[in-house]
Amino acid sequence: MSKATPFSKILIANRGEIALRIQRSARELGYRTVAVYSSADRDARHVLEADQAVCIGEALPAQSYLNIDRIVDAARRAGADAVHPGYGFLAENPALAKACADAGLVFIGPSAEAIEAMGHKARAKQLMEQAGVPCVPGYQGQDQSEQRLHREADDIGYPVMIKATAGGGGRGMRLVESTDTFLEALASARSEAQSAFGDPEVILEKAIVEPRHVEIQVVADRHGKALHFGERDCSVQRRHQKVVEEAPSPAVDQALREQMGETAVRAVRAIGYEGAGTLEFLLDTEGRFYFMEMNTRLQVEHPVTEAITGVDLVALQLRVAAGEALALEQDDIRFRGHAIEVRLCAESPRQGFMPQSGTLVRWRAPRTLRVDSALRDGAEVPPFYDSMVAKLIAWGENRDEARRRLATGLEELVALGVETNQGFLARCLRDPVFAAGEATTAFVEQRQADLLHQDEEHGQQLRALAAALLYLTDSGAGSARSGLSSRLPLIVRYQLRDEDGAATLTRLREDRLQVVIDDVVTEFGLLGFTADGVRLERGGVVETVPLARRGDVLHFLHGGEGYSVTDRTYAAAAQGAADGGDGRVRASMNGRLVSVAVSEGQRVEAGEAVLTLEAMKMEHVHRAGVGGVVSVISAAEGDQVAAGRVLVEIEADASEESKPE
């Protein structure tokens, strides 16, 4: 039996909301905390709220949060004697656990050997099969030749899933429907795996069609005790990334819960695991479950388990790492009510969920929910890290109560200045398939049209409201605040997200405004301004619209979604098209230029790939809007560029220039 390993100061090798979450439990147990930060996070909340903080490098993760030597050095300089990795970054990197052990630091997590064993999909599957854990039929052999893999796929039977052995997050993963497309999919998966993880090795698995994604939370101590804390359903996913998580699963009854829990406990005992971890399973329509992978760390979705068990999982991690024996017995863990979590991401659902970055002008979290975030008014959302910026969690006596509370809280959330998936998440929760508890991993793909759709009436109301708010918050002519009461019509030109528009506004009375857009008339009654917005009446309905104006840009909440509208009334006519139709290829977001596919003097065709930007761990290809000759390249690979910056200029062919607008 290993002896206790006491510690007093914890360095948290992470950032954002999870760093703050760990700080909270650490303080409650009497530990001091040390934050680490990159140059992009100098003023972040996790830095300001820690007892001490150490800068570990520049903004790019490889220069800071992924640099093991700098993290260990930061612990030494601050006098920390333990390291908590959080999740993401180095949380499942055995090299960090080993480096901590070599430096005499307590690593708050499993051993390097356990992380390494379970982090390699092929080896993990072999270990689980030896422990009697049911696994998806497949192939995880060392022979990685095309011929052998193709033959194994044919023997398994289609559809087949190709998976990179070294990674996660959906990268290096391809679903293959037939033998004719196998080799092409294999080449693509290997290329992506090599790029993302430096390892092209893959395994093959029989694809379980439209399964549930159900995971079991476990905690084990060094004294031989292991417990499970029930299941979480993470079936609502987009591109293999979780979007909505809940506990318990609508598809799991008590008998199945006990069976899956006992299987998970047997698995962690078989590998001598210590700490918190999660075993992920696919659950088919017949109630059969198959091991998929193990995450040897705290999960993003751990709050839903905490909500239904009343157990602080981070506190358990700290106690186990200090050598304490688990004081709980399996029968002590009771499940009460239902909890659901959504991941709020800085991304644009209307633009294919493209990551967004910038300044969060206003942040007001609903008081009815648990909200894990590091946000505040004026917080920067940098382009270098994961797009998730907050988690919102609701608990209820039953699933429908939790679902209603979360959907309503989401619609009340004020997150202005950076586009998020707020409205998309609320529509997921209110979707009849999700409400019925029938969502599988195919939910988002199958329901995407409804989840993204906004009807024309909503669009008309939105445009009228945007024009009215621009008028009412203008510090110049036409402002309600200036006291001007002219009844003369005023033309307001605006850009709402990416669409230009114009409206005619007339002051009917001091407290009444008429807006006309495309012959559609909307009237608003002005009831007054509040600290965070304006109180309006429309069609007999009164509501407060949260807003924030910064110069010509107004940010406001409407229908549970944040919008930004720019006043173009006095602006010169825009030159060129944002999509490069004027021959200029502009950065679609803040990000890093990872590759330039053309050179000056080279001829390109319209639609040809010109450059690739990386933002929030995703790559985005930018294409030529016109055919012609590349005349200017104004940035180099590796440069950080701002959204809207012209990176490549193309001298269009005469035939392109003469096309009618």
Side-chain angles (χ1 to χ4, degrees):
M1 183 181 297
S2 302
K3 62 180 181 180
T5 50
F7 49 88
S8 60
K9 186 187 290 188
I10 303 168
L11 181 139
I12 302 167
N14 219 296
R15 65 181 297 277
E17 62 88 14
I18 187 56
L20 286 168
R21 167 70 187 89
I22 296 165
Q23 286 176 15
R24 185 170 70 246
S25 289
R27 285 200 183 94
E28 289 175 356
L29 290 179
Y31 295 108
R32 299 190 71 201
T33 61
V34 179
V36 294
Y37 64 95
S38 72
S39 58
D41 281 338
R42 188 174 303 276
D43 298 319
R45 269 187 62 196
H46 79 276
V47 176
L48 301 177
E49 297 187 19
D51 295 305
Q52 295 174 296
V54 180
C55 181
I56 55 172
E58 297 304 312
L60 292 178
Q63 300 169 348
S64 49
Y65 298 107
L66 292 176
N67 191 310
I68 294 174
D69 290 341
R70 292 183 181 179
I71 287 171
V72 172
D73 180 64
R76 178 189 57 77
R77 284 191 283 154
D81 43 9
V83 172
H84 195 308
Y87 50 67
F89 291 129
L90 294 166
E92 291 181 284
N93 189 324
L96 176 62
K98 185 178 186 305
C100 287
D102 292 344
L105 301 169
V106 174
F107 181 73
I108 301 173
S111 66
E113 293 75 19
I115 296 173
E116 187 169 19
M118 300 310 292
H120 189 279
K121 287 185 174 63
R123 287 197 291 273
K125 193 171 178 182
Q126 291 166 353
L127 287 170
M128 292 299 98
E129 287 176 340
Q130 292 168 9
V133 177
C135 295
V136 179
Y139 172 76
Q140 53 271 355
Q142 293 184 351
D143 186 347
Q144 291 282 302
S145 67
E146 286 186 351
Q147 297 81 2
R148 178 63 183 273
L149 290 170
H150 199 173
R151 187 167 66 250
E152 291 290 345
D154 290 344
D155 290 344
I156 292 167
Y158 297 92
V160 164
M161 187 69 76
I162 303 172
K163 292 183 177 181
T165 61
R171 286 172 291 181
M173 184 182 296
R174 297 291 185 275
L175 177 66
V176 187
E177 299 286 356
S178 70
T179 186
D180 295 339
T181 58
F182 178 81
L183 291 178
E184 180 182 350
L186 175 64
S188 176
R190 279 177 158 172
S191 173
E192 189 170 75
Q194 178 66 46
S195 175
F197 314 118
D199 185 353
E201 185 178 342
V202 299
I203 65 171
L204 306 178
E205 289 183 347
K206 176 69 177 176
I208 310 299
V209 180
E210 296 186 19
R212 297 267 191 167
H213 182 134
V214 177
E215 59 190 31
I216 302 291
Q217 174 71 59
V218 293
V219 179
D221 64 23
R222 68 184 62 176
H223 307 283
K225 180 183 284 187
L227 303 172
H228 78 83
F229 292 78
E231 83 282 359
R232 296 185 288 256
D233 195 311
C234 308
S235 299
V236 179
Q237 303 178 6
R238 181 182 55 76
R239 297 175 188 156
H240 305 291
Q241 295 284 339
K242 299 168 187 175
V243 176
V244 183
E245 302 108 343
E246 60 182 308
S249 168
V252 175
D253 58 21
Q254 183 59 29
L256 182 57
R257 180 172 301 115
E258 291 177 1
Q259 185 183 0
M260 295 183 76
E262 290 169 1
T263 299
V265 167
R266 184 169 68 249
V268 296
R269 282 178 175 156
I271 61 172
Y273 191 82
E274 178 184 328
T278 302
L279 281 89
E280 302 198 349
F281 297 94
L282 295 177
L283 178 66
D284 69 16
T285 55
E286 303 300 320
R288 295 183 294 260
F289 61 93
Y290 304 93
F291 172 79
M292 184 168 55
E293 64 182 6
M294 182 177 185
N295 290 304
T296 53
R297 54 169 168 78
L298 194 68
Q299 292 280 82
V300 173
E301 58 271 21
H302 76 274
V304 295
T305 297
E306 294 182 328
I308 67 168
T309 62
V311 174
D312 183 332
L313 291 172
V314 175
L316 279 188
Q317 283 187 299
L318 301 181
R319 293 185 184 280
V320 166
E324 294 184 29
L326 288 167
L328 293 167
E329 301 296 333
Q330 190 63 60
D331 290 344
D332 295 331
I333 301 168
R334 305 294 176 87
F335 308 106
R336 176 173 174 265
H338 201 98
I340 308 177
E341 171 185 293
V342 293
R343 302 187 184 195
L344 185 74
C345 296
E347 62 186 16
S348 174
R350 65 194 172 86
Q351 294 179 309
F353 297 92
M354 181 181 292
Q356 305 292 297
S357 58
T359 302
L360 193 69
V361 176
R362 179 151 296 163
W363 170 257
R364 297 289 182 272
R367 296 178 181 177
T368 54
L369 305 179
R370 169 177 168 176
V371 179
D372 287 9
S373 86
L375 301 175
R376 65 181 188 278
D377 288 0
E380 289 297 319
V381 179
F384 314 106
Y385 314 118
D386 191 271
S387 63
M388 191 188 79
V389 293
K391 304 180 312 198
L392 291 84
I393 305 99
W395 179 89
E397 292 287 351
N398 54 57
R399 183 176 187 271
D400 206 48
E401 182 179 316
R403 183 187 63 82
R404 290 196 311 271
R405 284 180 173 175
L406 186 52
T408 300
L410 259 174
E411 291 163 350
E412 294 172 351
L413 171 71
V414 179
L416 302 179
V418 178
E419 190 173 353
T420 73
N421 61 343
Q422 174 182 359
F424 173 80
L425 292 172
R427 289 189 288 275
C428 283
L429 295 172
R430 296 198 184 279
D431 186 274
V433 174
F434 182 85
E438 297 173 353
T440 69
T441 53
F443 169 76
V444 170
E445 182 179 356
Q446 292 176 347
R447 303 290 296 169
Q448 187 158 302
D450 291 322
L451 298 175
L452 296 176
H453 175 70
Q454 291 183 338
D455 59 34
E456 179 56 28
E457 182 181 357
H458 172 89
Q460 290 176 350
Q461 294 175 356
L462 175 65
R463 290 188 289 272
L465 177 61
L469 293 175
L470 282 177
Y471 178 91
L472 293 170
T473 58
D474 186 358
S475 60
S479 172
R481 292 176 174 174
S482 71
L484 189 67
S485 58
S486 170
R487 304 294 173 84
L488 297 175
L490 174 70
I491 302 295
V492 172
R493 295 182 176 84
Y494 58 86
Q495 183 181 59
L496 180 59
R497 287 187 166 168
D498 299 326
E499 297 182 7
D500 293 327
T504 302
L505 289 89
T506 306
R507 205 62 175 272
L508 302 178
R509 299 195 305 269
E510 183 65 23
D511 62 350
R512 195 142 197 94
L513 185 66
Q514 181 189 79
V515 181
V516 181
I517 300 176
D518 296 332
D519 298 326
V520 177
V521 179
T522 307
E523 289 191 13
F524 295 93
L526 174 62
L527 304 182
F529 288 88
T530 68
D532 289 332
V534 61
R535 197 156 176 78
L536 296 175
E537 173 271 325
R538 177 176 49 189
V541 178
V542 177
E543 66 174 324
T544 298
V545 181
L547 55 81
R549 182 156 183 167
R550 298 293 184 270
D552 288 336
V553 182
L554 173 74
H555 311 281
F556 65 98
L557 182 72
H558 173 64
E561 194 151 3
Y563 293 91
S564 296
V565 58
T566 303
D567 193 342
R568 297 294 192 196
T569 303
Y570 307 108
Q575 299 296 313
D579 63 357
D582 59 349
R584 296 177 174 88
V585 180
R586 298 168 174 82
S588 60
M589 70 204 79
N590 295 333
R592 183 170 68 95
L593 185 58
V594 294
S595 67
V596 179
V598 297
S599 57
E600 291 184 1
Q602 178 180 335
R603 174 172 179 75
V604 296
E605 302 297 331
E608 185 175 339
V610 173
L611 57 90
T612 302
L613 280 182
E614 180 185 61
M616 296 179 171
K617 301 196 290 189
M618 294 179 64
E619 292 189 352
H620 304 271
V621 177
H622 290 50
R623 301 181 184 278
V626 297
V629 175
V630 176
S631 57
V632 177
I633 298 176
S634 58
E637 293 181 1
D639 287 355
Q640 289 296 140
V641 298
R645 175 178 166 183
V646 176
L647 303 177
V648 174
E649 296 184 40
I650 300 168
E651 197 171 304
D653 294 335
S655 58
E656 294 280 352
E657 293 175 340
S658 63
K659 287 181 180 179
E661 294 183 356

